[in-house]
Amino acid sequence: MTATPTVLSARALLLDMDGTLVNSDAVVERIWRRWAADHGFDGDDVMAVAHGRQGHATMAELLPGRSQEENLADNARMLAQETADMDGVVPVPGAAEFLDSLLSGGVPHALVTSADVALSTGRMAAAGLPYPAVRVTAENVGASKPDPEGFLKGAAELGIAPADCVVFEDSGAGIAAGRAAGMRVVGVGPRAGAHGPTVHVADLRSVRVEVSGEEILLHVG
C-alpha cells in the first residue's frame, strides 16, 4: 500500500479488467483448477501463473512440449466455459465510481485485457460496469502480457505517447507489461504489491481523478 497520498500526472489511462475493474476470481479459480486437475497439475501452482495473461500463454509455460495449435484449441474451449459462467462476477470496490469519473470528465481511457470481446463484454455487464469505447482485447494482439503490445496499442489508439499513460493492473504479468511499455503503473488489489507497481492501492476507492485541461491528476492513496 502507498503510505501517503501520491499524485500522478497523465494524459490517458489504460485499464486492465480482471482483478482491476472486475473481480472474476471465483470463475477463474473454478475453470483453471478444473484444468489443472485434468492435466495432473497442482491447482495452486497453476493459479500462480494463470492470472493476467491469455490462457494459451499459461498453457505454453506449463506444457512446453505441446503444440501451439493444441493450446489455442484448449484455450478456445476454456474461453467458452468462462463466458458461460458469470456466477460470482462482481465489480472491484470503487470501480463504478472510478469509471463514472472518467466518463464525466472526458478522460481518455482504454480497456486493455487478455480476455476476448465476448468474455470482456460479458464480465463488464455482469459487474454492472460501462464497457469502454476504446479497448484492446485478445483478438487485437499477437503476444500476451507480460509483452507490452496491448498497452502500446491502447496508447496508439488514444493517440497518446506511452510515457504519458498510466496503467491500472492487478497481476504480475500485467504490471510487467505496463512497465515494459514505458508506463507508470497503479497496482490494484492483493496480488499487485509484490510485483513492483509505481504505487499500490487495495482497490479503486483509493483513487480520485482530477482533470485540468488535457492533464489528468490521479490522487492515489
Side-chain angles (χ1 to χ4, degrees):
M1 292 290 294
T2 45
T4 57
T6 298
V7 179
L8 299 178
S9 174
R11 293 188 59 213
L13 308 182
L14 302 176
L15 316 173
D16 174 54
M17 182 182 70
D18 291 304
T20 302
L21 300 174
V22 172
N23 183 343
S24 56
D25 282 0
V27 181
V28 174
E29 290 270 345
R30 279 196 295 274
I31 299 295
W32 275 104
R33 287 186 182 278
R34 187 184 308 149
W35 184 92
D38 289 344
H39 291 83
F41 288 105
D42 178 81
D44 289 342
D45 291 342
V46 171
M47 294 314 305
V49 298
H51 285 291
R53 64 180 74 195
Q54 293 186 41
H56 64 81
T58 296
M59 295 170 191
E61 181 169 332
L62 295 170
L63 296 169
R66 197 163 76 157
S67 72
Q68 183 182 22
E69 290 76 13
E70 288 179 283
N71 289 339
L72 290 172
D74 205 0
N75 184 57
R77 287 189 292 270
M78 290 183 69
L79 281 173
Q81 293 171 10
E82 290 186 75
T83 303
D85 185 356
M86 295 293 161
D87 187 24
V89 174
V90 296
V92 165
E97 296 80 4
F98 175 70
L99 288 172
D100 284 346
S101 72
L102 303 189
L103 292 168
S104 63
V107 173
H109 65 285
L111 187 73
V112 181
T113 175
S114 295
D116 62 9
V117 169
L119 182 57
S120 58
T121 54
R123 282 188 176 161
M124 291 291 282
L129 299 174
Y131 195 50
V134 179
R135 57 258 185 177
V136 178
T137 61
E139 294 93 339
N140 306 128
V141 296
S144 174
K145 300 172 185 175
D147 192 281
E149 180 185 1
F151 288 123
L152 292 172
K153 284 196 170 184
E157 285 286 326
L158 295 171
I160 304 297
D164 291 326
C165 295
V166 169
V167 166
F168 284 73
E169 263 286 359
D170 74 299
S171 70
I175 291 168
R179 293 176 69 90
M183 301 172 184
R184 291 151 295 154
V185 181
V186 176
V188 180
R191 285 187 290 268
H195 300 288
T198 309
V199 292
H200 178 215
V201 295
D203 56 52
L204 293 170
R205 292 175 294 186
S206 297
V207 181
R208 181 172 64 86
V209 179
E210 178 186 357
V211 180
S212 177
E214 293 186 351
E215 185 180 36
I216 307 159
L217 297 176
L218 298 170
H219 300 266
V220 183

